[in-house]
Amino acid sequence: MTKHFNNHGEGEAVAYVRPRSESVSPRTASLLGAVLLAWGFATGAAHAVLTTLSYSPGAGSMRDLGKNDVYTWRLDSLPTDTITGATLTFSNMRSEDPNSNKLFAHLLDSANNAGVGSFDDGTGSRLPMAELTDDFANPRHHASPDWLVAPGTGDTKLFGKSFSMTPDSWTYTFNESELTKLNQYLSDGTIAFGFDSDSHYFNEGVTFSVIFGSV
């Protein structure tokens, strides 16, 4: 069964270095802030401007990641300037039990549902987890009519990480090849993330931050 979460806050720009026509859909992400950095080179040289924008799903929509659920988080109407840096941060992430666990994360070209959607990939309560399977890589559910991603959608695996029962704020930094894929996927202003939580995870928010660079 697919579940939809639409409790997303309004996007709000804190500062811009120049007027921008792009806006973030209030249904998919809320703009947390913009930090502008600029520096000059030697006289007559070009000036580079970096803009950092951060996005988060609606309050509560991914702060309780069920062990039998797979999630997608789609962001629409994003700026399409070249991205030179990107991170995913999980605030105070922890597993509900001490057993083996894994959170799998994928960068997607898109997803079927706007905002956050989820898919039930198991039945009943499993403690400890019977298996740690990345259901974005394993096609066992992909033929389901409720699956979260359309066939042929661009998919780049980012990581598989375990967490302890002690809350830990952890940041994943995109490497160069992942940034290349991110810029390719972003050409139409839409990207998505896929999360398969093979444990029950609690957290205090997920944040996607990107640095746009222009010369």
Side-chain angles (χ1 to χ4, degrees), residues 1 3 12 23 25 28 63 73 75 91 105 124 130-131 139 161 165 180 183-184 194 206 208:
M1 178 180 295
K3 291 168 278 185
E12 179 177 303
S23 63
S25 169
T28 59
R63 297 193 179 189
W73 173 28
L75 295 89
S91 298
E131 58 183 25
K161 178 173 172 58
M165 296 179 66
T180 297
N183 280 294
Q184 291 175 359
V206 180
F208 172 54

Side-chain angles (χ1 to χ4, degrees), residues 1-5 69-72 112-114 116-121 144-149:
M1 178 180 295
T2 302
K3 291 168 278 185
H4 305 275
F5 301 84
D69 287 318
V70 180
Y71 299 84
T72 54
N112 292 338
N113 304 313
V116 176
S118 69
F119 174 87
D120 189 334
D121 69 347
S144 168
D146 291 330
W147 182 241
L148 302 167
V149 183

Side-chain angles (χ1 to χ4, degrees), residues 39-48 215:
W39 66 92
F41 296 96
T43 303
H47 291 271
V215 177

Side-chain angles (χ1 to χ4, degrees), residues 107-109 154-156 181-188 190:
L107 170 67
L108 306 170
D109 194 3
D155 182 335
T156 299
K181 286 294 185 180
L182 178 57
N183 280 294
Q184 291 175 359
Y185 295 168
L186 192 60
S187 61
D188 61 354
T190 295

Side-chain angles (χ1 to χ4, degrees), residues 107 156-159 172-183:
L107 170 67
T156 299
K157 183 176 180 179
L158 298 177
F159 62 82
Y172 178 80
T173 301
F174 287 53
N175 62 35
E176 288 300 320
S177 63
E178 292 161 353
L179 288 174
T180 297
K181 286 294 185 180
L182 178 57
N183 280 294

